[in-house]
Amino acid sequence: MTDRALILVDLQNDFLPGGALAVSEGDQVIPVANGLIDGFEIIVATQDWHPPDHGSFAANHPGKQPFETIDLNGLSQVLWPVHCVQGQPGAAFAPGLQVDRITKVFRKGTDPSIDSYSGFFDNGHRKSTGLAEWLREQGVKRLTLCGLATDYCVKFTALDALAEGFAVALHLPATRGVNLEPGDVDRAVEEMRSSGVKIED
Ligand code: VGL
Ligand code: ZN
């Protein structure tokens, strides 16, 4: 029995160099994530999984460009390039990732009207993905997080995990971020640290 689980956040082609929403050095986390996988029995992967008409895509808002911010149904929303479309190669897990070791996949961002950075809840905290409930059923109390992107999906997954009562560690060497504004990644790490996430370097 184990009370630990590894959470692989959005290790998908579109977040790797050459992808639609490439995270700089995103590919470098894959071998590090594989090394972490070897030390866990319970491994969860989150998967950004958008329908083509998703409201976070700039292309679905005439006149808007990627990386502009809009109000989307009452929530502030950064507009992104079309990425991680359900069933498309960009949404698939990164090549080389030990996908055969993944215990369970939680998909998010499926509702076109709202984005979902966290693996636990959508950005309005309206609907649960079922991740917290599933982890508790397995007896999990402690989480190690890694993946992409530090300043979006990793950060919101970590903060929700704390709020759900899990002990949370972030493995920085297996994490990279977007840095839309310089310093975003450093600020995200500080926010996680000050909220109670143990930062492992
Ligand atoms: C992500 C932006 C849009 C992420 C997902 O995985 O951090 N970022 N969709
Ligand atoms: Zn997305």
Side-chain angles (χ1 to χ4, degrees):
M1 272 301 290
T2 177
D3 68 350
R4 306 159 65 232
L6 177 65
I7 313 280
L8 307 170
V9 177
D10 297 6
L11 291 177
Q12 296 168 259
N13 287 327
D14 270 340
F15 299 121
L16 305 186
L21 182 38
V23 174
S24 170
E25 301 182 345
D27 53 334
Q28 294 186 16
V29 311
I30 305 304
V32 190
N34 281 335
L36 283 174
I37 285 172
D38 292 335
F40 284 83
E41 284 172 34
I42 301 176
I43 297 145
V44 168
T46 66
Q47 194 172 28
D48 213 33
W49 195 251
H50 298 307
D53 63 346
H54 198 260
S56 75
F57 296 166
N60 292 327
H61 301 274
K64 296 292 179 188
Q65 297 300 316
F67 312 116
E68 286 182 45
T69 299
I70 64 159
D71 177 296
L72 182 64
N73 303 310
L75 294 176
S76 173
Q77 174 70 51
V78 177
L79 293 176
W80 303 106
V82 174
H83 66 280
C84 296
V85 175
Q86 298 175 359
Q88 298 297 308
F93 289 118
L97 183 67
Q98 297 192 73
V99 288
D100 52 310
R101 295 283 331 276
I102 296 172
T103 316
K104 196 162 169 73
V105 176
F106 285 84
R107 289 174 167 167
K108 60 188 180 63
T110 55
D111 179 343
S113 70
I114 190 163
D115 210 353
S116 188
Y117 293 146
S118 162
F120 291 91
F121 291 96
D122 62 59
N123 290 0
H125 268 241
R126 292 169 194 161
K127 276 196 191 133
S128 161
T129 62
L131 173 55
E133 297 77 6
W134 184 85
L135 290 168
R136 282 193 275 268
E137 280 168 20
Q138 314 304 310
V140 171
K141 297 195 160 39
R142 299 183 285 153
L143 303 177
T144 297
L145 265 63
C146 68
L148 307 170
T150 324
D151 36 354
Y152 290 93
C153 291
V154 172
K155 178 179 102 171
F156 287 98
T157 300
L159 296 178
D160 277 350
L162 287 175
E164 288 294 321
F166 297 99
V168 183
L170 172 65
H171 195 75
L172 268 192
T175 309
R176 292 291 189 282
V178 176
N179 265 339
L180 219 49
E181 300 288 341
D184 278 356
V185 167
D186 291 345
R187 279 188 289 274
V189 171
E190 275 323 303
E191 188 179 345
M192 287 186 267
R193 191 196 307 271
S194 63
S195 303
V197 175
K198 184 183 176 212
I199 308 294
E200 304 175 346
D201 354 59

